[in-house]
Amino acid sequence: MTGWCAYFLEGDRQGLTAAVNYTGLVSAFILGALLSAVLQRVWGTTTIWGASVLLTIVSGLYAFLLYRRSQYTKSPFYRSGQDDGHLD
């Protein structure tokens, strides 16, 4: 809520970024809880295996992306701390 208020009342773009990130996080949690409740009716207690597999996949992907980022920042062409405006 702080991020949304900072964006709407003060025009703070960083507040918007934080608000969107946290809104997505909370929404994903709610969706996951609802999906889990529905799947428990169908699969019963074996639903936990689906959640475990999904978490393993997401964790593996995240680890891979962190590794790729570390390799990218070691590149001689990477300019740390300089904003060239390409993300604007």
Side-chain angles (χ1 to χ4, degrees), residues 3-4 11 16 45-46 48-49 51 53 59 61 63-64 75 77 80 88:
W4 285 116
L16 176 63
T45 56
T46 57
I48 193 67
W49 288 107
V53 169
S59 297
L61 179 61
F64 174 72
S75 169
F77 301 107
S80 178
D88 292 337

Side-chain angles (χ1 to χ4, degrees), residues 55-70:
L55 284 173
T56 302
I57 291 169
V58 169
S59 297
L61 179 61
Y62 184 65
F64 174 72
L65 292 173
L66 286 175
Y67 171 76
R68 290 284 307 254
R69 182 174 70 178
S70 73

Side-chain angles (χ1 to χ4, degrees), residues 7-54:
Y7 175 68
F8 285 119
L9 298 178
E10 300 169 10
D12 182 14
R13 302 287 285 168
Q14 289 180 336
L16 176 63
T17 301
V20 168
N21 287 339
Y22 285 116
T23 300
L25 182 68
V26 171
S27 298
F29 178 77
I30 292 169
L31 182 64
L34 291 173
L35 184 62
S36 176
V38 169
L39 289 178
Q40 282 181 0
R41 290 184 166 270
V42 177
W43 292 342
T45 56
T46 57
T47 303
I48 193 67
W49 288 107
S52 299
V53 169
L54 184 61

